[in-house]
């Protein structure tokens, strides 16, 4: 997996750039996320919640939680404790307001922290999730290994991430949209020159499908599976410890 950074003229590490980027766009992130995905992202999260609910997790860790959309959705599983972790303080500030508004502060705690150095004990979560965050890791293997470490034996992993459509004509249509239309709209609304150009570049560099399943196996996960969503625009990966 090649290293793609948001700001090409910035010498800082990818992790620092990603945090800066999300801080910059945090105020408009939710609006843009739903707009640019035509609202389909909400349906993707519902699929994650349905799969998660089957194992009745009581303690969940949501990696790269952002503004907490998935953490909030996972409250439907009935889990007693949901912790969201993110390196962007701007995104977390937005997420905490949403948690308070939903009156879920007793169950959902959004914390600042590094997903590649998870600040929790080994074998302490029933479920670990990540939505559209693992491709932003500076070291993918380190991040996945940390997710494996904090899972209890038999615990589940669910990763929701962008992938690439492979069938004509959707492949060509999506390619044009992601490289030419999406960056322009994102730049106009978010005021960040690079954030929505970085998105398709990071998707192109990400090892999706069977390649990502291999990475999961390399980190110790078993029974890993991939389910393409919306013609392959995204994929839901599931595995267990």
């Amino acid at each position: 997996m090649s290293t793609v950074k948001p700001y090409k003229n910035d010498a800082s590490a990818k992790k620092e750039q990603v945090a800066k980027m999300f801080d910059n766009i945090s105020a408009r992130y939710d609006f843009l996320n739903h707009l640019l995905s035509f609202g389909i992202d909400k349906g993707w999260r519902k699929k994650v919640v349905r799969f998660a609910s089957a194992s009745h997790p009581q303690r969940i860790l949501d990696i790269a939680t952002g503004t907490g959309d998935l953490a909030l959705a996972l409250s439907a599983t009935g889990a007693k404790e949901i912790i969201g972790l993110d390196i962007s303080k701007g995104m977390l500030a937005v997420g905490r307001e949403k948690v308070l508004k939903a009156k879920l502060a007793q169950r959902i705690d959004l914390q600042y922290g590094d997903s590649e150095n998870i600040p929790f004990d080994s074998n302490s979560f029933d479920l670990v999730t990540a939505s559209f965050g693992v491709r932003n890791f500076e070291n993918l293997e380190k991040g996945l290994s940390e997710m494996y470490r904090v899972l209890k034996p038999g615990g589940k992993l669910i990763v929701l991430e962008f992938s690439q459509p492979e069938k004509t004509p959707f492949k060509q249509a999506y390619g044009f949209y992601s490289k030419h239309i999406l960056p322009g709209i994102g730049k106009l609304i978010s005021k960040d020159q690079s954030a929505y150009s970085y998105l398709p570049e990071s998707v192109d560099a990400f090892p999706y499908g069977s390649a990502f399943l291999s990475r999961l196996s390399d980190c110790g996960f078993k029974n890993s599976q991939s389910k393409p969503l919306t013609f392959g625009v995204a994929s839901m990966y599931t595995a267990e410890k």
Side-chain angles (χ1 to χ4, degrees), residues 75-191:
S75 65
T77 64
K80 294 179 180 178
E81 182 181 17
I82 301 170
I83 298 174
L85 194 70
D86 204 275
I87 59 172
S88 169
K89 294 179 180 179
M91 297 284 276
L92 288 169
V94 174
R96 286 169 183 146
E97 289 296 321
K98 289 159 64 174
V99 170
L100 289 173
K101 186 176 180 180
K103 296 181 171 58
L104 287 169
Q106 296 298 317
R107 294 172 57 202
I108 300 177
D109 180 21
L110 303 187
Q111 300 184 17
Y112 174 77
D114 184 353
S115 299
E116 295 174 44
N117 292 285
I118 298 174
F120 299 109
D121 293 337
S122 301
N123 309 313
S124 56
F125 291 94
D126 304 301
L127 172 68
V128 173
T129 61
S131 62
F132 309 112
V134 294
R135 76 180 189 287
N136 297 321
F137 287 175
E138 188 161 359
N139 185 320
L140 179 60
E141 282 69 26
K142 188 176 181 182
L144 294 178
S145 295
E146 277 289 272
M147 294 158 85
Y148 182 87
R149 178 184 66 79
V150 299
L151 269 175
K152 295 177 180 178
K156 309 291 186 182
L157 172 76
I158 309 176
V159 173
L160 186 60
E161 189 52 87
F162 288 115
S163 47
Q164 299 182 45
E166 297 180 341
K167 293 185 177 179
T168 301
F170 199 79
K171 175 181 179 179
Q172 289 77 9
Y174 178 73
F176 180 82
Y177 171 74
S178 66
K179 290 179 175 61
H180 300 287
I181 297 176
L182 184 151
I185 298 174
K187 176 182 175 181
L188 179 67
I189 297 176
S190 73
K191 308 302 181 185

Side-chain angles (χ1 to χ4, degrees), residues 39-69:
I40 297 172
D41 61 303
K42 297 177 183 178
W44 294 338
R45 278 188 288 274
K46 287 181 180 178
K47 292 181 184 296
V48 171
V49 172
R50 279 199 293 271
F51 185 89
S53 297
S55 60
H56 306 289
Q58 292 303 299
R59 193 167 192 243
I60 300 174
L61 175 63
D62 185 40
I63 294 295
T65 195
T67 63
D69 273 348

Side-chain angles (χ1 to χ4, degrees), residues 1 134-135 140 161-162 164 202-208 212 237:
M1 179 178 173
V134 294
R135 76 180 189 287
L140 179 60
E161 189 52 87
F162 288 115
Q164 299 182 45
S202 65
V203 172
D204 284 346
F206 185 73
Y208 69 95
F212 185 66
Y237 302 94

